[in-house]
Amino acid sequence: MKVAVVGKGGAGKTTTSSVVARVLARGGASVVALDGDTNPNLGLSLGVGFDETERLVGMRQALDADEGDGDDHAADWDDLLDRFASTGPDGVQFAVVSQIDNPDPGCP
Amino acid sequence: MTSTSSASDTADARPLRTAFVGKGGAGKSAIVGTFARLLARADDEPVLVLDSDPMPGLAFTLGLEIDDAGIDDAAVVERAEGEEGPRFRLRPGLSAEDAVEAYATVAPDGVRFLQIGNLRGGVGSIMRSQHAFHQIKSELPRNRWHVIGDLPGGTRQPFLGWAGFADSVVVVIEASAKGLLSGRRFAKLAGSVVEPDRLFAVVSKARSSDDAQQVESRTGLRVIESIPWDDAFADAEREGLAPLDAVPDAPAIQQIQSLVHALQGVLT
């Protein structure tokens, strides 16, 4: 299944997502947790720790800046995970999808 | 300023242009709504509070029944072909102050409230509203209006329209693991918007005296005020009541009052 968790700031999206991901993984499912928040904190709730959360955010930024390790697009989903995901507790694969660093972009 | 405050206290003061940013749920709207009303009580100059968060909240804190006060599409015209400038602007003859008069909702204590972030009539509509907003901000008389912004929770476009306008930025930070990590990001982003001496942290929902120190050491920001966790304040917020009316003596409100003084003191 593919589940998107949305809601108002502070409602508990990140916390809920992380617990759902880990419970599914404990039940034997292969789980990929994607942090699509522009202020990505999911790693902290999953339990991968502060440094790893920041490392994955940095990897995402390097990709934006075209300093990534590949000069081609990832061949497929698995390739993408190999390059950008980290394995967290209970075997949950975790990657950061977005963080934007321009404080005042031109377009609304 | 206390009840003895008067025009003479603030005659030389430059009105505030302060953007409040922070993680979703940090307490921005709760603080901004209360802050704006206390500022209006403390100062003779009018206060305009701009809500660019698409999620509701600020209106309730201010004590308004509505959660939407936008600029009518009819107030905005599209640039004619061959003309210079932004694609949309306020209707000719409609000044920034006229627009505030016509479209802002008057909240308790005379605070003017305008909402920008809501999608009303689709994307075209939000573009009109964004341009009008920007024009209102930049054309309101500098020596008269306080302009206080409640900015969106994420870091996608945290300062949209405020870079080059804000003379101060307040990052609202709860001293939790996520709050501190988010605070670091906002601190970094805000560094390109205002000078370091115009960038402050406010600790929200503080649970111990250690929280402020944590925020300073983890974000590098200067903590200008620390607002305690306050059940009475939180209950009012939860009920959709303005804490300033429901629990005027709550500790959190006293600290927001101090924040008004502190910012006025530092910036003027």
Side-chain angles (χ1 to χ4, degrees):
Chain A
M1 59 179 163
K2 295 172 181 170
V3 183
V5 179
V6 300
K8 186 179 182 307
K13 294 180 293 297
T14 302
T15 307
T16 304
S17 308
S18 67
V19 175
V20 167
R22 288 190 54 178
V23 168
L24 286 171
R26 285 185 183 184
S30 298
V31 179
V32 178
L34 298 175
D35 194 342
D37 195 325
T38 54
N39 180 25
N41 295 320
L42 180 59
L44 294 180
S45 289
L46 280 171
V48 306
F50 178 85
D51 291 342
E52 183 65 359
T53 300
E54 283 300 79
R55 188 183 74 80
L56 290 170
V57 170
M59 196 184 285
R60 179 64 184 83
Q61 287 166 334
L63 185 69
D64 282 341
D66 202 18
E67 298 157 0
D69 58 348
D71 19 51
D72 295 319
H73 290 295
D76 56 25
W77 173 251
D78 289 325
D79 184 22
L80 207 57
L81 287 182
D82 280 346
R83 287 197 213 175
F84 297 108
S86 170
T87 303
D90 297 320
V92 172
Q93 298 250 74
F94 165 61
V96 173
V97 180
S98 59
Q99 168 166 295
I100 292 182
D101 278 335
N102 180 356
D104 186 5
C107 184
Chain B
M1 247 132 276
T2 62
S3 55
T4 59
S5 159
S6 70
S8 62
D9 290 320
T10 51
D12 301 326
R14 206 168 153 83
L16 303 180
R17 289 179 161 188
T18 306
F20 284 77
V21 297
K23 181 181 179 305
K28 286 181 301 298
S29 297
I31 292 170
V32 170
T34 307
F35 178 92
R37 285 183 54 182
L38 290 170
L39 177 62
R41 289 181 187 180
D43 199 294
D44 292 337
E45 302 300 346
V47 176
L48 173 65
V49 59
L50 298 176
D51 185 7
S52 28
D53 190 335
M55 291 294 171
L58 179 57
F60 293 123
T61 303
L62 284 167
L64 292 168
E65 298 285 322
I66 54 113
D67 73 355
D68 194 22
I71 295 165
D72 198 295
D73 278 355
V76 182
V77 295
E78 191 157 3
R79 179 186 60 211
E81 221 161 303
E83 248 181 79
E84 296 287 309
R87 183 166 160 213
F88 295 103
R89 59 186 173 80
L90 291 175
R91 194 175 63 224
L94 186 69
S95 73
E97 281 191 308
D98 291 342
V100 169
E101 203 55 51
Y103 299 110
T105 297
V106 182
D109 297 310
V111 170
R112 301 297 203 280
F113 168 71
L114 264 179
Q115 228 286 348
I116 184 184
N118 280 347
L119 272 178
R120 295 183 179 83
V123 173
S125 172
I126 204 166
M127 286 198 53
R128 285 174 173 257
S129 143
Q130 293 264 9
H131 280 102
F133 233 56
H134 192 66
Q135 193 182 345
I136 287 172
K137 282 208 317 296
S138 50
E139 292 180 7
L140 276 180
R142 180 69 186 92
N143 58 359
R144 189 162 133 75
W145 288 83
H146 293 284
V147 184
I148 309 299
D150 184 16
L151 276 59
T155 52
R156 179 165 172 260
Q157 302 176 316
F159 295 100
L160 182 64
W162 284 79
F165 174 79
D167 67 5
S168 47
V169 169
V170 173
V171 187
V172 179
I173 303 173
E174 185 181 354
S176 63
K178 289 180 212 167
L180 292 165
L181 181 54
S182 307
R184 281 162 65 99
R185 296 188 184 125
F186 278 106
K188 199 171 118 198
L189 292 165
S192 63
V193 175
V194 285
E195 294 300 315
D197 64 342
R198 297 300 178 104
L199 175 57
F200 310 97
V202 164
V203 183
S204 69
K205 308 178 201 176
R207 286 165 191 268
S208 86
S209 52
D210 188 42
D211 283 9
Q213 209 179 348
Q214 284 259 19
V215 167
E216 290 204 330
S217 67
R218 293 288 296 283
T219 67
L221 295 172
R222 169 184 164 196
V223 171
I224 190 169
E225 198 59 67
S226 191
I227 299 165
W229 173 260
D230 181 338
D231 280 322
F233 188 96
D235 286 349
E237 277 284 310
R238 194 180 165 90
E239 298 297 320
L241 303 171
L244 192 53
D245 300 322
V247 288
D249 301 319
I253 288 181
Q254 291 167 25
Q255 292 310 110
I256 298 171
Q257 174 85 61
S258 301
L259 174 63
V260 171
H261 299 169
L263 267 183
Q264 284 191 312
V266 170
L267 295 177
T268 56

